Amino acid sequence: MRVRGFVALSLAMFGTAVPAQSAPVPAQSVKAARCSIWMRNAIQYDGPCQFEAERGGSFSLSFPYASGDLSGLGIGEIFVLITARGVAVVSDSGPDGHVSNWGPARRSRRDRACWEGRDFRVCAY
């Protein structure tokens, strides 16, 4: 349940006028995927992940089934923010809330499911 809907419902119950939404809020587009994460030319993780699509081609990856591989690195979620066609900025957030900027990345010409930076590669299949 989205917070926006919950607030509107709560206000309506107390007699406060709430404007109707013109369009329904789209469902989250989360799907199961397989991810490969490389750092410093070594694979750090290759296994199941959750892929969440965002507008404009950006996406995030989470790893609810990872057993220590990424958590040992302090990575809870990876974000690929598209800034231009074939160009993105990659970052992560850790389980403790810290955010790390990995830097710019380009979409791989060899494997279109991958984004490559100076010392990292993020792939989602």
Side-chain angles (χ1 to χ4, degrees), residues 2 4 20-27 55:
R2 292 195 172 275
R4 174 192 275 162
Q21 285 184 308
S22 58
V25 177
R55 290 185 180 182

Side-chain angles (χ1 to χ4, degrees), residues 1-81:
M1 174 184 263
R2 292 195 172 275
V3 172
R4 174 192 275 162
F6 178 76
V7 171
L9 178 62
S10 298
L11 292 173
M13 288 185 336
F14 290 106
T16 305
V18 177
Q21 285 184 308
S22 58
V25 177
Q28 296 289 338
S29 47
V30 177
K31 64 181 182 176
R34 183 179 67 81
C35 292
S36 293
I37 311 300
W38 293 73
M39 297 171 83
R40 295 175 211 82
N41 296 322
I43 194 154
Q44 302 297 318
Y45 180 78
D46 186 21
C49 62
Q50 288 186 337
F51 177 95
E52 184 171 351
E54 302 290 338
R55 290 185 180 182
S58 297
F59 61 92
S60 63
L61 304 171
S62 58
F63 308 90
Y65 313 109
S67 58
D69 296 299
L70 293 171
S71 60
L73 298 171
I75 297 171
E77 194 169 6
I78 295 174
F79 306 95
V80 178
L81 176 65

Side-chain angles (χ1 to χ4, degrees), residues 78-102:
I78 295 174
F79 306 95
V80 178
L81 176 65
I82 307 300
T83 58
R85 184 180 176 114
V87 180
V89 173
V90 178
S91 61
D92 79 76
S93 68
D96 62 357
H98 82 276
V99 175
S100 297
N101 182 13
W102 294 18

